[in-house]
Amino acid sequence: MRVTALAGGTGAAKLIRGLAAILPPSHLTVVVNTGDDARIWGLHVSPDLDSVTYALAGRLDIARGWGLHDETFNCLDAMAHLGAETWFNLGDRDLATHLFRTERLTAGEPLSAVTAELARRQGVAALILPMSDDPVRTRILTSDLPGASDGWLDFQEYFVREKANVAVIDIAYAGAGNARPAPGVVDAIAGADVVVVCPSNPVTSIGPILAVPGLVTALHDTRARVIGVSPIVGDAPVSGPAGALMRARGLPVSPLGVAQAYGGWLDSLVVDTRDATLAPALRDLGIAPVVVDIIMTDHVREVALASVVLDGAGS
Amino acid sequence: MRVTALAGGTGAAKLIRGLAAILPPSHLTVVVNTGDDARIWGLHVSPDLDSVTYALAGRLDIARGWGLHDETFNCLDAMAHLGAETWFNLGDRDLATHLFRTERLTAGEPLSAVTAELARRQGVAALILPMSDDPVRTRILTSDLPGASDGWLDFQEYFVREKANVAVIDIAYAGAGNARPAPGVVDAIAGADVVVVCPSNPVTSIGPILAVPGLVTALHDTRARVIGVSPIVGDAPVSGPAGALMRARGLPVSPLGVAQAYGGWLDSLVVDTRDATLAPALRDLGIAPVVVDIIMTDHVREVALASVVLDGAGS
């Protein structure tokens, strides 16, 4: 069974770890959001690509949900000593990844090639693809920061620097209109038996992937069964600012809002047992509900949910 | 007494610490070799500028002679994990300096401005000037590495990667012909009361400074007393590969070879007591000898030697 997962954020990394425990690596492709990539200290940082790669390499700090385990922050301390901006926490070991990536991007290599090389060098055999080699940047419009030039924040400014603590008026995927899917992305969706939409924020983790021209069409056209896992339980996200972002997009903050975001091409949605009553409404949208406990508190539950997802896709 | 020091390498950092203990910061200018600057992991590393700045900021690792004290090397470990080149030891805290510098250079700031900013942010009040804002790169020709493209090594490849363990055929200062002195350098030499040539390798630490068009003329023309400290005791350098480099340049490996390298504009040379017998020969070259114990094993001796240098310049 060939599986292609669409991923971004911490919930995705957990489900990917579960999928990798079940599937042979050559059968797993992960298409990753790059909309929250950022330039920090002159380095190209790809938080979602790194989380997926670190997760598959067994290097992810599980408790924190980002970065490497056994990490230190001495460069960050020294940056603070120099009076530089230090709101984005780059660890010393993590820096190696960003330095490696930035040097090769500067030399003209595409992000997809650098991503593959980083995965290979970390012993990851699954295929990790950025959604695009072209820059797409998720931006957040807020009216809460009169100092901000035009009200638009880069995603990391919104998420990390402002701790998602500002009102969200709008979201944009800058550059998406001219972005092409990275090599292999369309084929990975077209040629999969199952496409898994990870329990990621539908607006800023999966949304940028869908904004790349051609990818919604690929999801419509694929013969694969497309199954999602809801990042929302009841009326709140499992983690992160998905609620405010969905509201700003006019989506109800519920698994039905997730279904609405993926309307037209989603075949099935895994929702939590607490949302069992939504099953008929999902069926009315043409989406087959799968109802289980979706909270992944440890690796056993990551594997269990991955197993449910693959079973659900087959049914 | 306004003092301008020409500096490069570990011996220089020690004498600069001594000078800084005696002089008010506003009276001390240090013109620093940038010929051994290197691009490491895509970052602009300026080893001599950093050694001088760290020394004056009280942050230099004295025992090691380079980098910061209380340093860790976790990024380097992670780079090794990625299979990247790790022969150049960049510490985690030190990385902050190189990231800060590289980001600003990439944005178009000249090296002299970035150097001043780094010094200011580390609380250094003395003026630290790169010899030039233009790239000058010391290169070493060897026949010992048949694999090397054309036999020419960048200085750090020779010094750090090969541990100076290859025969030296020739030395070049690539780019020097087109380099201009950094703003303030010529004035600092012209307007000083004393110019101190630190006990640095005359070929690869002071040599690149002298290769910048205009600087030898400035040393000839200055009304300042120009006094050097020999980096050679007897027939060997106090540290480093100065011997092989001087031989390759046809200079005798002795304080007389140092005098010869600075011939024409050096007024006085401080040599070790073990070289007292060279005093007449130095006088014959028109150079006033100062004979003392020049080995700086601790800060007391750094200050003592700096005091001798300033006294010797006055006499």
Side-chain angles (χ1 to χ4, degrees), chain B residues 39-204:
Chain B
R39 200 119 198 133
I40 306 288
W41 303 338
L43 301 181
H44 184 110
V45 179
S46 296
D48 285 350
L49 281 172
D50 288 342
S51 289
V52 168
T53 308
Y54 292 164
L56 289 175
R59 302 177 78 204
L60 185 68
D61 186 297
I62 308 288
R64 205 167 46 205
W66 54 268
L68 293 163
H69 57 59
D70 292 327
E71 185 58 289
T72 56
F73 293 87
N74 294 329
C75 182
L76 190 78
D77 283 350
M79 274 290 184
H81 183 84
L82 291 178
E85 282 197 344
T86 52
W87 52 265
F88 197 89
N89 293 311
L90 290 181
D92 298 325
R93 295 179 201 279
D94 190 37
L95 266 173
T97 303
H98 312 312
L99 286 160
F100 186 102
R101 176 187 296 119
T102 305
E103 190 173 14
R104 277 155 187 78
L105 290 176
T106 304
E109 285 186 44
L111 182 59
S112 52
V114 181
T115 299
E117 187 64 22
L118 277 166
R120 188 184 70 72
R121 287 170 181 243
Q122 292 175 73
V124 174
L127 184 58
I128 302 173
L129 298 173
M131 64 194 202
S132 179
D133 281 333
D134 303 314
V136 177
R137 293 297 173 266
T138 302
R139 307 199 77 202
I140 307 292
L141 181 63
T142 183
S143 56
D144 283 1
L145 294 172
S149 55
D150 55 359
W152 285 99
L153 299 175
D154 292 336
F155 181 74
Q156 298 300 346
E157 292 175 336
Y158 161 74
F159 185 59
V160 178
R161 193 186 71 197
E162 303 301 331
K163 301 182 173 62
N165 235 335
V166 294
V168 177
I169 297 171
D170 200 3
I171 297 101
Y173 309 115
N178 299 315
R180 292 150 301 171
V185 169
V186 170
D187 287 349
I189 292 170
D193 298 304
V194 178
V195 171
V196 177
V197 184
C198 288
S200 303
N201 183 326
V203 179
T204 56

